[in-house]
Amino acid sequence: MVYNNILETIGKTPLVRLNNVVSDIPATVYAKLEAFNPGLSAKDRIALHMIERAERLGQLKPGGTVVDATSGNTGFSLAMVCAIKGYKCVLTVTSKVSEDKLNNLRAMGAEVVLCPQEAKPTDPRSYYRRAEQLAKDIPNAFYVNQNFNADNGDAHYLSTGPEIWEQTHGRVTWLIGSASTGGTLCGSGRYLQEQNPDLKVVAVDAFGSVLKKYHETGVYDENEIYAYRIEGTGKNIIPANIDFEMIDRFVKVTDKDSALRARELARKEGILAGYSSGATLQCLQQIKDELTPEDVVVLIFADHGSKYVSKIFNDEWMRSQDFLPAEEGSEELKKATSDIQKALC
Ligand SMILES: Cc1ncc(COP(=O)(O)O)c(C=O)c1O
């Protein structure tokens, strides 16, 4: 099979059975490996669909500029599509995003505008407001607005959902994935629930995100917001692409558990997946008591672990976050031992 360009290789990602990390789970568990997309994440699907829809609607014209606020993956995919189609790509990114991801964006030809992570969504310095403003200031620019652009969810309704249905021969009973814009989980979930209205959809959320509380109470509570480490899970706004009605439950997972699960996935399944995939596997652990042997669970693993080699796959970083114990024989351990000895004397 020969492809005319890289964009034709987007989608049709494999569904792979998990074995060693789910030996205590009473169900069949598969992972939808979105890292098999050429841009190494599920966001390739939405980038292509949103840009092609904008072309068809006349919102994006030859020589134009594509602008969005993105935590990294969507930006990379948008830049990839722009490279093929000849558009400029300007991305606003929060200062939380890893150096690896920033370098990847620049490698793909994008112009990156760094915005402070602590800026509230309404703050003109926030990455949302900066993108909006840049799209107004740059002539012939298209503001993608992935959180509120319905073509985001539609991309998954048209591709990821049908793929999962076909790959499980209609046997899928649970769909679990991280929610950020909500496009991946709700787009594919919408298609799957149309085929099987009993399908359970579980959204993975982070401590520091507003989504779970909003789902349970209808209240957008700013007090829920604080900095956290997982990328691509949870939100500090309420995106239009999250269909709260179709989601059975939001489950919060910790930064530490999620990082350890991602590492476990690599070592026990040979799958180097990203931080939010670790979060998704952790979520499965937290709901496992509700599963039966008849259940077929699909976990959406949104991106590739190579994007996090300087973070969750770096022991030093893990120790700096207290996600791993201090190294045996390390300075910290020696100091702690000597402090204890002094106190005992
Ligand atoms: C690594 C990663 N996982 C999961 C998600 C969640 O996908 P969605 O925005 O479709 O909810 C994202 C999106 O930002 C992501 O970058």
Side-chain angles (χ1 to χ4, degrees), residues 91-316:
L91 306 168
T92 61
V93 171
T94 69
S95 45
K96 159 177 159 179
V97 169
S98 69
E99 198 57 29
D100 306 336
K101 276 191 178 176
L102 293 179
N103 287 334
N104 280 327
L105 295 177
R106 293 183 182 120
M108 202 52 102
E111 189 186 316
V112 178
V113 180
L114 271 179
C115 305
Q117 185 190 346
E118 63 281 2
K120 288 187 178 169
T122 46
D123 186 325
R125 297 171 307 143
S126 76
Y127 79 139
Y128 302 117
R129 295 288 85 81
R130 285 278 281 156
E132 215 171 62
Q133 191 57 46
L134 282 164
K136 284 181 191 150
D137 295 345
I138 300 169
N140 193 11
F142 167 61
Y143 178 33
V144 178
N145 201 4
Q146 62 164 331
N147 289 298
F148 295 92
N149 184 338
D151 293 324
N152 170 355
D154 286 353
H156 292 287
Y157 175 83
L158 293 168
S159 64
T160 323
E163 286 173 27
I164 293 171
W165 187 251
E166 242 175 67
Q167 286 168 316
T168 60
H169 304 288
R171 288 171 50 239
V172 56
T173 55
W174 290 72
L175 181 69
I176 306 178
S178 278
S180 183
T181 69
T184 313
L185 188 68
C186 297
S188 38
R190 175 156 51 102
Y191 177 87
L192 293 169
Q193 280 189 341
E194 279 176 10
Q195 318 310 309
N196 172 13
D198 294 331
L199 176 94
K200 295 247 187 332
V201 177
V202 178
V204 188
D205 196 16
F207 289 94
S209 152
V210 297
L211 298 179
K212 183 172 193 285
K213 180 155 187 185
Y214 184 78
H215 184 242
E216 289 167 4
T217 64
V219 175
Y220 170 80
D221 184 356
E222 271 197 2
N223 296 321
E224 291 282 296
I225 301 171
Y226 53 83
Y228 58 90
R229 289 294 180 189
I230 315 170
E231 294 171 34
T233 302
K235 214 70 185 174
N236 58 0
I237 57 168
I238 306 296
N241 272 306
I242 300 186
D243 177 354
F244 286 89
E245 294 269 301
M246 69 164 293
I247 294 174
D248 287 89
R249 181 142 36 112
F250 281 75
V251 174
K252 289 212 183 207
V253 294
T254 67
D255 289 344
K256 179 179 177 179
D257 289 341
S258 305
L260 293 173
R261 289 287 176 204
R263 290 164 67 98
E264 191 188 355
L265 257 178
R267 287 168 193 200
K268 294 193 178 163
E269 301 283 353
I271 296 173
L272 191 69
Y275 205 166
S276 70
S277 305
T280 304
L281 183 61
Q282 174 60 24
C283 171
L284 174 73
Q285 279 294 334
Q286 291 177 208
I287 62 145
K288 69 180 172 191
D289 292 345
E290 294 164 52
L291 302 172
T292 69
E294 286 72 46
D295 279 316
V296 175
V297 183
V298 171
L299 308 178
I300 301 178
F301 284 178
D303 75 349
H304 198 271
S306 59
K307 299 190 184 218
Y308 309 87
V309 281
S310 62
K311 290 191 169 181
I312 58 175
F313 298 110
N314 176 329
D315 289 356
E316 240 171 75

Side-chain angles (χ1 to χ4, degrees), residues 34-65:
E34 288 296 289
F36 275 72
N37 284 298
L40 309 181
S41 89
K43 298 295 187 176
D44 285 357
R45 300 177 189 261
I46 68 165
L48 182 61
H49 188 65
M50 292 188 300
I51 285 181
E52 292 197 332
R53 279 270 297 163
E55 288 173 336
R56 283 201 290 278
L57 296 172
Q59 296 165 330
L60 184 57
K61 300 190 182 66
T65 300

